[in-house]
Amino acid sequence: MKGFQREDRMFSLCGLNCMLCPMQIGGYCPGCGGGEGNQSCAIARCSLEHDKVEYCHQCGEYPCSRYNGIDEYDSFITHRHMKRDMQKAEEAGSRAYGEEQAEKAEILRYLLEHYNDGRKKNFYCVAVNLLELQDIRNVMKEIAGIEGLDELSEKERASCAAKLFQAAAAKQGIELKLKKKPGKKK
């Protein structure tokens, strides 16, 4: 969006974790406030109208009506924890929150390089977005402890890792899939 630039392009203005998004990982989006190529965004326009706040929580009107039902459905990235993540970033500070997200992003890159059968990119993005860092670390320890895993096929390794993430999510009552809006009836 013209005129909309931000220093932190890893955590969006509205609370999405851009560095954990398949669109940014795939090179289709430069991240929130990344300039050229960035998609038009009503929340970015709103920021420009409200003193160019870096994060919505810095606006005196936050949470505004734009956040009503925002976590009900997902797009290509999960929206479920936007408000919670925004609160975490505000309380811990954007630097500390950014460090946690950077560790999650590094784990995500590792998973995509070593445990992706070509069909797990969105799954791992959702898992790393929704699970707490400690839960992700625990799964990674479990994966590292499996003898002979490297000898399995790519598909078998991916399946094994996905099952461990599913189990960790189930313990937390989390479903690792995007919540899509129901299609329009014809």
Side-chain angles (χ1 to χ4, degrees), residues 14-149:
C14 64
L16 291 172
N17 290 303
C18 294
M19 70 174 60
L20 305 178
C21 173
M23 294 297 284
Q24 185 168 15
I25 291 168
Y28 302 108
C29 177
C32 181
E36 192 172 320
N38 198 18
Q39 300 298 314
S40 177
C41 174
I43 295 177
R45 272 192 302 282
C46 185
S47 170
L48 291 172
E49 295 166 2
H50 288 89
D51 299 324
K52 296 185 180 181
V53 294
E54 186 76 6
Y55 306 99
C56 286
H57 69 77
Q58 296 170 331
C59 178
E61 296 177 27
Y62 177 80
C64 66
S65 62
R66 294 184 188 279
Y67 283 86
N68 294 342
I70 201 161
D71 51 3
E72 191 174 334
Y73 301 108
D74 299 318
S75 56
F76 46 82
I77 186 172
T78 180
H79 292 217
R80 278 174 263 179
H81 292 167
M82 286 172 68
K83 290 185 259 182
R84 185 197 74 179
D85 289 345
M86 185 77 74
Q87 183 177 357
K88 283 171 75 174
E90 183 177 17
E91 290 171 0
S94 59
R95 171 171 275 163
Y97 185 75
E99 289 170 3
E100 179 180 315
Q101 295 310 301
E103 184 176 345
K104 283 184 165 190
E106 188 60 38
I107 292 169
L108 177 57
R109 276 190 286 280
Y110 183 83
L111 288 166
L112 292 173
E113 287 176 21
H114 301 282
Y115 299 95
N116 184 13
D117 60 1
R119 301 178 55 101
K120 297 286 187 283
K121 183 177 177 181
N122 284 339
F123 172 82
Y124 289 136
C125 288
V126 170
V128 173
N129 250 295
L130 294 180
L131 291 171
E132 292 295 330
L133 181 56
Q134 190 56 52
D135 293 326
I136 297 166
R137 288 175 180 155
N138 291 342
V139 171
M140 296 307 291
K141 284 180 187 174
E142 284 184 73
I143 290 170
I146 298 173
E147 287 189 42
L149 189 61

Side-chain angles (χ1 to χ4, degrees), residues 3-15:
F4 182 68
Q5 297 283 323
R6 294 177 66 248
E7 190 173 316
D8 183 3
R9 293 190 313 229
M10 301 295 114
F11 185 58
S12 77
L13 169 70
C14 64

